[in-house]
């Protein structure tokens, strides 16, 4: 059952984030891309930053990496509508390459500037399982360098949630250099999401 007070507060913070000027990324981004999902979600997924399509749509994980994530969630038995998805950084950082906008990794200053938004989301959603997608998201959320590792089940101790899991970002699946590597990375992601489902009690 949705908590109307928490839902209203989350919406208020989302509106505040639209006008964020805490770092310079807003100047070249189309818009702020805030998190989406149920405020009472037991599983919260945190990525690095919105990509080109997310920047244009104003929604997280709707591009190619989002398609991988959606398929992995389904294969893990998780309804996307029952999770909360967001990014550590809320504006798209990019460099031009002809007519294309290529992703650039946010730096420490940009990550710190966005941290209050992520902390607010965590405080309101209160997930049982926090899934950190990639090293940048892990460092942003935990405040320390965390290796993603090559094997599933990279659980880290953190006060952020009862269970905190670091796994691959879906874009790592897309960047695989062979079909075998792509499948192995995809199965790693699915395995970790199954862990999340089991420990969320969903």
């Amino acid at each position: 059952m949705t908590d109307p007070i928490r839902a209203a507060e989350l919406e208020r913070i989302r509106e505040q984030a639209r006008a964020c000027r805490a770092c310079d990324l807003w100047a070249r981004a189309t818009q702020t891309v805030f998190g989406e999902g149920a405020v009472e979600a037991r599983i919260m997924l945190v990525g690095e930053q919105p990509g080109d399509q997310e920047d244009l749509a104003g929604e997280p994980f709707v591009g190619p990496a989002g398609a991988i994530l959606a398929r992995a969630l389904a294969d893990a038995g998780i309804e996307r509508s029952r999770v909360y998805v967001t990014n550590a950084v809320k504006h798209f950082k990019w460099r031009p390459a002809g007519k294309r906008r290529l992703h650039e990794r946010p730096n420490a200053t940009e990550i710190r500037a966005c941290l209050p938004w992520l902390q607010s989301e965590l405080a309101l959603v209160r997930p049982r399982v926090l899934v950190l997608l990639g090293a940048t998201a892990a460092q942003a959320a935990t405040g320390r360098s965390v290796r993603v590792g090559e094997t599933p089940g990279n659980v880290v101790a953190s006060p952020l949630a009862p269970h905190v899991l670091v796994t691959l970002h879906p874009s790592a699946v897309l960047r695989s250099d062979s079909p075998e590597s792509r499948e192995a990375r995809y199965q790693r992601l699915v395995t970790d999401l199954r862990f999340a489902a089991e420990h969320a009690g969903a």
Side-chain angles (χ1 to χ4, degrees):
M1 184 174 181
T2 300
D3 182 333
I5 296 175
R6 284 162 60 197
E9 180 64 10
L10 187 62
E11 186 57 35
R12 184 185 69 81
I13 293 169
R14 179 180 286 109
E15 287 301 315
Q16 287 182 337
R18 293 184 195 279
C20 184
R21 303 291 185 267
C23 74
D24 294 334
L25 292 184
W26 69 271
R28 299 181 68 202
T30 304
Q31 58 195 312
T32 302
V33 181
F34 204 72
E36 287 192 351
V39 72
E40 72 279 6
R42 295 187 175 190
I43 300 173
M44 181 171 172
L45 305 168
V46 181
E48 178 189 273
Q49 67 162 333
D52 181 73
Q53 292 185 34
E54 288 82 3
D55 173 70
L56 297 173
E59 300 175 28
F61 287 98
V62 295
I68 294 290
L69 180 61
R71 182 159 65 93
L73 285 168
D75 285 347
I78 300 170
E79 294 179 35
R80 176 156 176 171
S81 62
R82 298 183 65 185
V83 303
Y84 187 90
V85 293
T86 192
N87 284 296
V89 173
K90 311 302 188 193
H91 286 118
F92 179 36
K93 183 176 182 178
W94 58 278
R95 60 182 173 83
K99 294 183 178 180
R100 299 175 62 204
R101 300 189 301 170
L102 298 183
H103 161 279
E104 284 200 320
R105 181 171 294 182
N107 61 38
T109 299
E110 293 154 352
I111 291 169
R112 280 195 302 271
C114 258
L115 186 57
W117 303 122
L118 179 60
Q119 290 172 331
S120 295
E121 290 172 297
L122 278 164
L124 288 167
V125 177
R126 306 171 199 163
R128 283 192 53 77
V129 184
L130 176 62
V131 181
L132 303 173
L133 302 168
T136 300
Q139 183 171 357
T142 66
R144 64 183 191 272
S145 180
V146 179
R147 285 197 59 184
V148 174
E150 297 298 325
T151 57
N154 189 7
V155 179
V156 297
S158 172
L160 297 173
H163 306 280
V164 179
L165 178 68
V166 180
T167 190
L168 300 168
H169 193 285
S171 63
V173 177
L174 295 172
R175 293 195 304 268
S176 301
D177 54 13
S178 69
E180 294 78 14
S181 174
R182 183 185 179 103
E183 180 61 20
R185 288 179 173 181
Y186 178 75
Q187 291 304 325
R188 156 77 190 277
L189 179 59
V190 171
T191 297
D192 282 339
L193 290 174
R194 284 185 180 136
F195 172 95
E198 290 167 8
H199 288 76

